[in-house]
């Protein structure tokens, strides 16, 4: 449908050849995101729309969304950064945590001497990102963090590709306005198809809204269509909705495959959408380190007491950065990248 293609161009500047849904707006990105972006960058001749998941309806939200994860430490308040605050308070909280953690580092033998230096390098990386924020929201800060890591690992080709791509948060105001305009057209021109898709979402329980108490509720498709008319409402936007709208043209999806693309093609009675990654294979490698000792740290009244300890597998970039250091982690990423090319 030409009107839908035109709305993509109107709101995003182009009609994408590929929509990618593999990224989440994490302050602590998992290591697999490097390989995922490397795979996506192979389509350098295609127009790609990077739709970034914000996980605002995750229950409970993953700590990686808002926390800089560190090895050896378990404390839900250390480096927990809130994007609902002002940029000034966001940076203030980061600096306060940085000072508080210095006390932990000097009073407790948590990090080795090498890990302490790696930690300092890591926090300097984040500090530079936060000091140079141009657009203060979770998606743009995430993107700046990713670019900082990629630059640190000297992935120059990927770095250049990232700076030329377009990304958007799935629940951003721009996406909400886009969907409002889209469904005004679709409800008039393809009411039957829209109704079929709505029933599909109802069966999957994918239609959610937050009420005045911030509680998540499942709603009907008709109620959801009403919510679309108010772009300030806190309704959940699923990837199914983005891909359904996209299916009125021809294109491809890069990201986890839960059978959504084939379901949408069945609803549309078409093969307009192509799924180009298998489920859980939207990346070619990841780095993990098992059996890392963690301590629960009580920071109440600056006592810095340890309670229980446990052993965990780490896979986020900041955790790995502290344990291995920049150069070792960079080499591990390059080795993993080379190994994935050999086996592919």
């Amino acid at each position: 449908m030409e009107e839908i293609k035109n709305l993509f161009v109107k709101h995003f500047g182009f009609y994408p050849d590929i929509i990618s849904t593999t990224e989440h707006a994490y302050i602590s990105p998992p290591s697999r995101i490097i390989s995922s972006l490397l795979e996506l960058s192979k389509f350098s001749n295609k127009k790609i729309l990077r739709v970034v998941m914000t996980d605002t309806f995750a229950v409970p939200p993953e700590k990686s969304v808002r926390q800089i994860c560190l090895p050896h430490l378990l404390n839900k308040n250390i480096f927990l950064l809130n994007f609902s605050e002002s940029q000034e308070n966001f940076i203030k909280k980061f600096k306060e945590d940085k000072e508080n953690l210095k006390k932990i580092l000097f009073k407790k033998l948590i990090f080795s001497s090498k890990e302490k230096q790696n930690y300092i390098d890591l926090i300097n990386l984040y500090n530079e990102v936060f000091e140079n924020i141009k657009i203060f929201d979770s998606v743009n800060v995430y993107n700046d963090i990713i670019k900082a890591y990629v630059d640190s690992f000297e992935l120059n080709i990927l770095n250049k590709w990232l700076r030329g791509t377009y990304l958007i948060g799935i629940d951003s105001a721009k996406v909400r306005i886009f969907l409002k305009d889209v469904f005004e057209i679709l409800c008039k021109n393809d009411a039957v198809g829209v109704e079929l898709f709505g029933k599909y979402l109802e069966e999957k329980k994918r239609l959610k809204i937050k009420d005045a108490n911030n509680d998540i509720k499942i709603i009907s498709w008709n109620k959801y269509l009403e919510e679309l008319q108010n772009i300030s409402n806190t309704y959940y936007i699923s990837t199914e909705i983005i891909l359904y709208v996209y299916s009125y043209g021809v294109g491809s999806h890069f990201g986890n495959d839960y059978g959504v693309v084939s379901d949408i093609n069945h609803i549309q009675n078409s093969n307009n959408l192509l799924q180009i990654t298998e489920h859980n294979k939207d990346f070619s490698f990841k780095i993990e380190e098992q059996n890392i000792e963690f301590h629960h740290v009580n920071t109440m009244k600056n006592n810095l007491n340890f309670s229980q300890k446990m052993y965990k597998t780490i896979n986020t970039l900041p955790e790995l950065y502290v344990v291995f250091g920049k150069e070792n982690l960079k080499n591990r990423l390059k080795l993993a990248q080379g190994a994935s090319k050999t086996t592919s």
Side-chain angles (χ1 to χ4, degrees), residues 26-34 63-72 79 94 111 115 118-123 125-126 145-146 149 153 287 294 314-326 329 333:
Y26 292 167
I27 286 178
S28 289
S31 65
R32 63 166 178 76
I33 195 57
I34 298 295
K63 67 176 181 178
S64 306
V65 175
R66 296 184 299 154
Q67 187 169 31
I68 301 174
C69 301
L70 295 175
H72 312 308
F79 287 129
F94 171 75
F111 295 165
E115 287 175 337
N118 296 339
Y119 162 78
I120 291 169
D121 292 343
L122 172 78
I123 295 307
L125 181 147
Y126 276 88
I145 289 169
I146 286 294
Y149 275 119
F153 300 142
I287 308 294
F294 276 75
I314 61 171
N315 58 29
T316 71
L317 289 176
E319 289 172 320
L320 295 167
Y321 199 106
V322 172
V323 169
F324 294 129
K326 181 180 77 173
L329 182 53
L333 287 168

Side-chain angles (χ1 to χ4, degrees), residues 12 40 66 101 106 108 117 127 199 220-221 228 233 236 256 269 282 304 308 319-320 328:
F12 307 120
L40 188 58
R66 296 184 299 154
L101 196 52
F106 283 107
K108 302 289 184 180
Q117 184 57 54
N127 193 69
K199 288 180 180 177
S220 69
W221 177 237
L228 284 177
N233 284 352
Y236 174 61
N256 268 334
N269 193 26
D282 55 350
L304 308 176
Q308 69 196 78
E319 289 172 320
L320 295 167
N328 283 337

Side-chain angles (χ1 to χ4, degrees), residues 200-212:
Y200 169 78
L201 292 178
E202 285 180 343
E203 290 173 2
K204 298 285 186 180
K205 301 187 184 303
R206 300 292 283 167
L207 304 170
K208 304 174 188 176
I209 190 169
K210 288 184 181 177
D211 62 17

Side-chain angles (χ1 to χ4, degrees), residues 3 6-7 12 30 32 48 81 109 112 138 142 149 154 170-171 197 210 214 217 223 240 247 263-264 286 307 326 335:
E3 293 115 314
N6 291 339
L7 285 177
F12 307 120
R32 63 166 178 76
I48 298 173
L81 304 169
L109 296 176
S112 69
S138 61
Y142 152 78
Y149 275 119
E154 298 179 6
I170 196 166
D171 68 347
F197 178 63
K210 288 184 181 177
N214 222 29
K217 293 187 174 181
K223 175 64 176 172
E240 290 96 328
S247 73
D263 288 344
I264 290 174
K286 61 181 177 180
S307 55
K326 181 180 77 173
L335 283 171

